[in-house]
Amino acid sequence: MGKFIEINTDQMEKPEVGSNLFSNRAAIAEMQQLSNGAEVSIIIQAYNRLDKTKRCVESVLTYTSGIDYELILIDNGSEDDTLEYFLSVAHEKKKVIHFTKNLGVTYPVSTLKLNELGRFICFIPNDLILTSCWLENLLICMKSDDRIGMVNPVCSNTSNLQCVEIPYSNEREMQRKAAQFNRSDPKKWEDRQRLITLGSLYRKEALMAIGWPISDVGFFHDFGDDDVTFRIRRMGYRTILAGDTWVCHDHDMRHGEGKNPAEFQKSLNIGRTNFQEKFFGVDAWDDVNNYYIPYFSHFPKPNITGQPQILGVDTQCGTPALDVKNWLRRFGLFDADISAFTQDPKYWMDLKTICTGPVICDREEFLLDSFPRENFDYVVADRPLNRYHEPQKLMNDLFALCKKGGTVICKLSNTFSFQSYLHQLGQRDVYNPEFAYQIPLEAVKASLDKLGDVKRIIPIPFRLDAEQQKLLDALLPTELAKSQRKEAVERMIAKEYLLIVERKT
C-alpha cells in the first residue's frame, strides 16, 4: 500500500516573493523561522572533553541574554559523562541528540533538518568559552546587510589573522577584559575570503543556497572551513570577520593539542588537494593568504573625498584589494568600490564576489585599455613588477590609472636574495621557477621617483631555518661594521619589497 504522509500547513502563509534573489530566499527562511519559534539555533557538538564542554555550555547560558535562542546539544558518541551533563542542562528551548558511536565531526550535523532550525544558526565547538555580548554583536553585524551570510568573531589560539590574544591570569579577568573589548563597532568589521569557523553565525537562507548539510562531506579531512566560506561567497553573500567581538578558544592549536603531528600534516595535505580539485586549481592558502594587513601601519592616512575607488591588479583571489577596503573602514570610509584585473581566469569568479566594479581578465598589455585613466585612489599590484614582460610599461600603466595624489602599491621580487645565492650553490629545492628580471631595488626606485613620491619600501623576508641562518652568518665578512652587517642581512633575506608610492599631483 505504500506510506502516506500528511504535513499540516494550514497555519502557514505562502511567502511573498518578488524579483530579487536574496529577498526571495529570505522570504522562505522567514516562513520557516515562524514555524520554528527561535530566532537563533545554537548548536554545540561534543566528543568527550567534559570539562571543556561544561565551560562552553555554561558560558553560553551566562553570556547570551535578550535573544530568543534554542540550544541543540549533540553528544557525538562520548565515552565520559557528556550525555548525562547535556540532559541536566537547564534551558527552556533545549534539544539533546545522542549518537552511540563517533562517525566523524560532520555526520551529526548532517542529520539535522535545516527547515527546523532558527532564522540564524550558530555552530559552537566545545572548546570555546563565550563572552559578554558575543551573540548580540554578531547579530548586529549580520542584520546590518541582508547580503551578509556569515559572521565570525576573533578569538585566541587560531590562525588566518583572526587571532587576538588577550592576556589574563584567570577566567574572571578574561571575562572582564572581553566585556571591555566586545563593543559593537562597524569600523572593525572585515570582509574576508576565507574564515576559520570558530563560533560562526550563519544566515539561514545562505545555508539554503549552498545546500545542506553545511559541510561538503567530501572534506573528511581539513579545509572544510575554507570550502564553506568559498561557497557562501559564491552564492553572493559577504563573509565577515567581526573584529569587535572576542571569544576564548581554549585549545593549544600551535602545539597540535590532541593531534598526532604526522597525521595532522597528512590531513592538511589531503584537504588542500581536495580543495584545489573542487575549485579548479584555486589554492585556499597561496591564492588567499597574500594579506596586506601587517603593512598598514606604514601606509599614509587616506585623504579621500567621495567614494574610494580601488583597483587590484593580479591580486590572485583579491585579498590585497579587500584588505585596503577593510583598512579604509577604520577611517569611516565604508563604501569603497573595488575593480580588478587578472591574467588568470581561475580567479575571475572569486574576484567577482568582492568587486562592485568591473573584473577584467586579459593580458598585461591591455591593462591601460580596461579602465578609465586617473580613476583610482588606490592601485594595488600584487605580482612583482619584474615578473611582467615589460616592467616599465606596467609601472607607467599603474600610475596612469591612479588619481593624482592617489597611492600605487606594488612589489619587486628580490632576485639578489639569499635564496638566489643558495640556488647558485646547488640547492635546487629553493629555486623559484617563475621568471623574474634581475632588476636592483635602486633602479626601480629611480623609476618610481619620476612618477611619484616613494613613501615606504618594506622588505618582506623569507622564513629561514636554523641551518640557513647559520650559513648566512658564515657568508658575511667579519670585518663588516654592525650597521653594514644589518643592512646586508636585510637585503639577503628579503623575498620581495613592498613599495608604497603617492602619485605626483
Side-chain angles (χ1 to χ4, degrees):
M1 295 291 293
K3 182 184 292 185
F4 171 74
I5 299 174
E6 181 179 276
I7 298 174
N8 191 329
T9 57
D10 291 345
Q11 304 304 314
M12 299 176 66
E13 296 292 333
K14 185 177 180 180
E16 294 184 10
V17 297
S19 58
N20 183 285
L21 185 67
F22 297 91
S23 62
N24 288 349
R25 291 172 181 166
I28 299 296
E30 287 170 2
M31 178 186 71
Q32 293 182 356
Q33 192 270 325
L34 288 173
S35 63
N36 168 265
E39 181 181 24
V40 182
S41 294
I42 298 177
I43 302 168
I44 300 176
Q45 179 172 307
Y47 174 64
N48 296 329
R49 303 197 301 178
L50 180 57
D51 289 343
K52 290 190 176 186
T53 300
K54 285 183 176 180
R55 283 195 298 174
C56 175
V57 173
E58 289 164 11
S59 69
V60 170
L61 296 173
T62 302
Y63 296 103
T64 311
S65 59
I67 297 168
D68 179 19
Y69 71 95
E70 66 169 339
L71 193 58
I72 300 176
L73 304 173
I74 301 176
D75 172 30
N76 193 15
S78 297
E79 297 158 352
D80 54 15
D81 294 329
T82 294
L83 177 59
E84 288 73 14
Y85 170 70
F86 278 169
L87 292 170
S88 72
V89 171
H91 183 68
E92 182 181 358
K93 295 182 178 180
K94 181 189 77 170
K95 180 187 294 183
V96 176
I97 302 174
H98 173 61
F99 290 84
T100 59
K101 180 181 179 181
N102 188 333
L103 298 177
V105 70
T106 60
Y107 178 71
V109 173
S110 72
T111 65
L112 299 177
K113 295 181 180 179
L114 182 58
N115 66 333
E116 295 179 356
L117 299 179
R119 186 68 180 79
F120 303 98
I121 296 101
C122 186
F123 294 94
I124 304 291
N126 69 332
D127 54 12
L128 280 190
I129 302 174
L130 289 310
T131 55
S132 176
C133 299
W134 73 279
L135 186 54
E136 178 184 342
N137 285 356
L138 296 184
L139 283 170
I140 289 172
C141 178
M142 179 72 81
K143 293 177 180 180
S144 70
D145 183 354
D146 291 341
R147 295 200 179 189
I148 294 176
M150 174 183 182
V151 183
N152 202 92
V154 295
C155 66
S156 54
N157 294 311
T158 189
S159 58
N160 195 41
L161 295 185
Q162 296 176 211
C163 185
V164 174
E165 296 292 355
I166 295 180
Y168 57 88
S169 55
N170 54 57
E171 191 165 328
R172 178 179 294 180
E173 183 184 9
M174 181 265 285
Q175 289 291 355
R176 179 177 59 80
K177 289 185 175 182
Q180 295 172 344
F181 186 99
N182 292 357
R183 296 175 181 175
S184 181
D185 185 354
K187 291 182 180 180
K188 296 180 180 179
W189 301 342
E190 297 180 8
D191 284 86
R192 288 294 189 95
Q193 293 200 307
R194 61 182 287 266
L195 289 166
I196 304 299
T197 54
L198 289 167
S200 294
L201 179 71
Y202 298 90
R203 187 180 294 273
K204 187 174 194 173
E205 57 264 36
L207 300 186
M208 293 166 62
I210 68 171
W212 187 261
I214 182 172
S215 298
D216 182 338
V217 294
F219 284 94
F220 195 81
H221 299 274
D222 286 86
F223 285 81
D225 307 47
D226 312 68
D227 170 67
V228 169
T229 318
F230 263 64
R231 285 189 289 139
I232 289 177
R233 273 194 303 102
R234 289 187 173 194
M235 286 294 105
Y237 293 97
R238 295 167 62 195
T239 51
I240 304 293
L241 180 67
D244 59 359
T245 307
W246 183 88
V247 298
C248 176
H249 184 210
D250 183 25
H251 182 83
D252 189 1
M253 180 198 70
R254 292 180 180 85
H255 297 94
E257 179 185 340
K259 294 183 178 181
N260 177 287
E263 289 298 316
F264 178 53
Q265 187 59 52
K266 180 181 178 182
S267 179
L268 284 175
N269 294 339
I270 294 174
R272 189 175 183 180
T273 300
N274 293 158
F275 187 95
Q276 291 171 333
E277 291 171 347
K278 178 172 181 176
F279 292 97
F280 302 103
V282 174
D283 186 284
W285 284 353
D286 289 347
D287 293 335
V288 180
N289 289 355
N290 50 336
Y291 288 110
Y292 278 45
I293 295 171
Y295 313 118
F296 284 130
S297 60
H298 303 297
F299 279 43
K301 290 184 178 180
N303 183 20
I304 299 172
T305 57
Q307 183 182 24
Q309 298 293 316
I310 303 167
L311 174 63
V313 178
D314 287 325
T315 56
Q316 295 168 292
C317 286
T319 295
L322 195 58
D323 283 348
V324 172
K325 180 178 181 177
N326 291 328
W327 175 69
L328 291 174
R329 292 181 68 94
R330 304 179 193 176
F331 302 92
L333 299 167
F334 290 97
D335 298 315
D337 185 46
I338 301 179
S339 302
F341 182 91
T342 181
Q343 296 185 78
D344 193 331
K346 74 180 179 183
Y347 299 126
W348 185 88
M349 180 175 289
D350 290 300
L351 288 169
K352 287 292 290 185
T353 68
I354 65 168
C355 290
T356 46
V359 178
I360 305 298
C361 182
D362 212 330
R363 300 197 304 272
E364 66 183 72
E365 53 265 38
F366 297 112
L367 170 61
L368 191 58
D369 300 326
S370 300
F371 304 95
R373 299 185 183 218
E374 298 188 5
N375 185 64
F376 297 98
D377 298 284
Y378 290 87
V379 178
V380 187
D382 190 56
R383 186 181 184 188
L385 295 169
N386 51 339
R387 296 198 184 280
Y388 287 92
H389 295 103
E390 298 182 76
Q392 185 62 59
K393 180 183 183 306
L394 193 282
M395 198 183 307
N396 294 340
D397 290 350
L398 297 177
F399 281 87
L401 294 169
C402 186
K403 292 177 181 177
K404 293 178 180 178
T407 303
V408 173
I409 305 160
C410 54
K411 282 182 175 178
L412 176 72
S413 180
N414 183 17
T415 54
F416 303 93
S417 68
F418 182 58
Q419 184 190 54
S420 300
Y421 181 78
L422 290 178
H423 175 63
Q424 294 297 324
L425 293 179
Q427 293 193 23
R428 304 303 179 190
D429 58 327
V430 301
Y431 174 62
N432 189 333
E434 189 175 357
F435 172 79
Y437 291 108
Q438 288 193 321
I439 306 176
L441 175 63
E442 291 76 10
V444 172
K445 184 179 182 301
S447 293
L448 291 173
D449 283 336
K450 298 176 183 178
L451 298 166
D453 180 13
V454 179
K455 294 293 185 181
R456 193 82 182 200
I457 299 174
I458 305 170
I460 302 175
F462 290 104
R463 293 182 179 179
L464 302 185
D465 59 31
E467 183 180 344
Q468 291 172 330
Q469 185 64 56
K470 185 177 179 180
L471 179 57
L472 174 59
D473 292 339
L475 287 172
L476 297 174
T478 55
E479 61 269 18
L480 282 179
K482 186 176 181 180
S483 60
Q484 292 175 310
R485 190 179 187 88
K486 180 181 178 182
E487 181 181 353
V489 168
E490 287 179 351
R491 281 178 171 266
M492 293 187 75
I493 67 172
K495 178 182 180 181
E496 298 172 326
Y497 295 101
L498 184 68
L499 304 116
I500 303 166
V501 190
E502 183 178 293
R503 186 190 160 178
K504 290 181 178 179
T505 56

